[in-house]
Amino acid sequence: MSGTSVDSVDGALIRIDNGDLSLLQTSSIDTPDAIRNEAIDLIRSDRQSLDRAWRLGNKMAEIFADAAHPLIEAGKGEVDAIGCHGQTLRHFPNDPQSPFSVQVVNGAMLAIRTGLPCITDFRSADMALGGQGAPLASGLHANCFRSPAIDRVIVNIGGIANVTSLPADSEGSIIGFDTGPGNGLMDEWAFRHIGTRYDADGAWAASGICSDTLLARMLTDSYFTRSAPKSTGREYFNISWLDKHVAPMGELDAADVQATLVELTATTIANSIGNLFNSKPGVLVCGGGYRNKMLMKRLAARLGVNTIANTSALGIPPEWVECVTFAWLAHQRMSGLPGNVPSVTGARRAAILGALYLP
């Protein structure tokens, strides 16, 4: 451990035989001045932010427990564990100094409140192996949606959109990555201009006209042409990012910007799919974005198809695929099985994911 003085890291090697504990060896190393100073400065100057983050983790645990209780009751005593991703606050897998990803939830509190083992912190092990820590849904996609008869692409449209390629050839590598903005920018723009959390059915976007000039400006972002593995988040694609591209355009109708954001999401997803296969694969959509009729219309147009199916066709309704992902990852952890897909995340090897908290 490292204590509050942050002056050293101390370790102890112990053996436990039939309940009897023996101390075998100890070790202590001085904390380098640069790390000690950084830690103390963070504790002092960013205390309010740190306090807010961990309090949020406690609050999220309470909310997650409330959501879990009816499912536990429905399980009639046969639920083995809870998989909980937590709330992402930061995702910087390409940080030049030290990549990291932060999800807050008090796993111990969740375990105690539900009386069940709880697995959290699913990204860290993959990132420790040089991976992006994302997307993590590709393992579930391969497990549930892969077919020997047809090449498939699963498109998940949440705040950020991602794709998973599932070649029919069982020897073919699974590829997955975040394509860029999903619903996130549209939601933030709608909240600013029409005061709603999202643009229901894409109706507001449908009232606007896409600005080809604005779309071209946004598509110059280097993320869109970066090679996989890659992942991103709303700490990058957010309202500030959008404002930076909109400001030089002068006066633009807000609905036209929303229509352009729909086109941005549809274009970047379609371009990504086009780079995965030489022939047209079967495409299935999941995530909240499937409800945006305007987005589905534009994505279909960009892909050159009439309609796009969703994952209900294969047994999991689109709005629940992400929840099912973390339940599946919890099962993998409890079974001692890997949860990541190295060809997706870029990790050096497959790894068992998640930190286990017992009630």
Side-chain angles (χ1 to χ4, degrees):
M1 68 167 295
S2 174
T4 52
S5 61
V6 202
D7 58 354
S8 67
V9 176
D10 301 326
L13 176 65
I14 68 170
R15 173 181 287 136
I16 300 175
D17 289 326
N18 297 320
D20 295 326
L21 185 151
S22 303
L23 177 61
L24 303 181
Q25 190 170 326
T26 62
S27 174
S28 182
I29 59 172
D30 292 337
T31 303
D33 287 342
I35 294 177
R36 182 177 186 273
N37 293 338
E38 181 180 3
I40 290 176
D41 183 63
L42 183 63
I43 291 168
R44 288 174 178 168
S45 62
D46 287 351
R47 179 176 177 180
Q48 185 177 8
S49 296
L50 284 171
D51 288 355
R52 290 178 61 197
W54 291 114
R55 287 182 183 130
L56 175 63
N58 291 345
K59 293 175 182 177
M60 295 303 297
E62 294 176 358
I63 295 170
F64 288 134
D66 289 343
H69 280 307
L71 302 175
I72 295 169
E73 291 178 8
K76 298 180 180 179
E78 296 183 0
V79 178
D80 293 319
I82 294 172
C84 182
H85 177 245
Q87 175 61 55
T88 298
L89 297 185
R90 295 285 190 278
H91 184 63
F92 289 113
N94 300 306
D95 185 87
Q97 296 184 36
S98 183
F100 66 96
S101 187
V102 178
Q103 290 75 40
V104 293
V105 62
N106 188 326
M109 182 183 291
L110 181 55
I112 289 168
R113 283 180 175 265
T114 59
L116 288 169
C118 177
I119 298 98
T120 68
D121 189 19
F122 287 97
R123 301 194 188 277
S124 293
D126 184 88
M127 296 184 74
L129 289 164
Q132 294 277 308
L136 291 182
S138 297
L140 174 87
H141 295 168
N143 186 75
C144 296
F145 302 141
R146 196 168 193 174
S147 168
I150 183 175
D151 292 333
R152 280 194 177 127
V153 173
I154 308 302
V155 180
N156 175 55
I157 309 177
I160 297 294
N162 57 65
V163 296
T164 302
S165 72
L166 302 173
D169 180 2
S170 61
E171 300 300 318
S173 292
I174 298 169
I175 299 172
F177 53 88
D178 290 342
T179 61
N183 306 313
L185 291 178
M186 290 183 267
D187 292 347
E188 291 194 66
W189 191 253
F191 185 76
R192 175 187 283 182
H193 290 278
I194 61 176
T196 61
R197 288 191 176 187
Y198 59 93
D199 178 13
D201 293 332
W204 184 44
S207 72
I209 299 172
C210 174
S211 166
D212 292 337
T213 304
L214 175 59
L215 177 62
R217 284 185 61 88
M218 293 190 290
L219 286 172
T220 61
D221 192 289
S222 62
Y223 181 83
F224 300 126
T225 54
R226 187 186 307 167
S227 298
K230 63 178 180 177
S231 59
T232 187
R234 290 178 72 163
E235 64 283 325
Y236 184 80
F237 287 110
N238 54 35
I239 198 72
S240 297
W241 181 91
L242 177 57
D243 287 341
K244 178 183 70 175
H245 291 287
V246 171
M249 297 291 296
E251 292 296 323
L252 278 177
D253 184 83
D256 291 347
V257 174
Q258 187 76 350
T260 308
L261 291 175
V262 168
E263 204 67 30
L264 175 68
T265 296
T267 299
T268 50
I269 291 173
N271 288 348
S272 298
I273 293 173
N275 292 331
L276 291 172
F277 292 103
N278 293 324
S279 58
K280 282 189 177 181
V283 176
L284 295 171
V285 174
C286 58
Y290 93 100
R291 290 197 180 104
N292 188 319
K293 295 178 181 178
M294 181 64 175
L295 176 56
M296 292 299 96
K297 178 181 177 181
R298 294 308 307 151
L299 180 57
R302 287 283 181 177
L303 292 173
V305 298
N306 294 324
T307 59
I308 299 176
N310 64 62
T311 53
S312 289
L314 297 180
I316 305 178
E319 64 268 40
W320 301 114
V321 171
E322 198 158 22
C323 289
V324 172
T325 292
F326 288 95
W328 179 81
L329 285 169
H331 172 267
Q332 295 294 101
R333 171 63 176 81
M334 296 296 283
S335 302
L337 298 172
N340 63 335
V341 180
S343 61
V344 169
T345 66
R348 291 188 292 275
R349 60 171 173 81
I352 299 170
L353 306 182
L356 173 63
Y357 292 87
L358 299 177

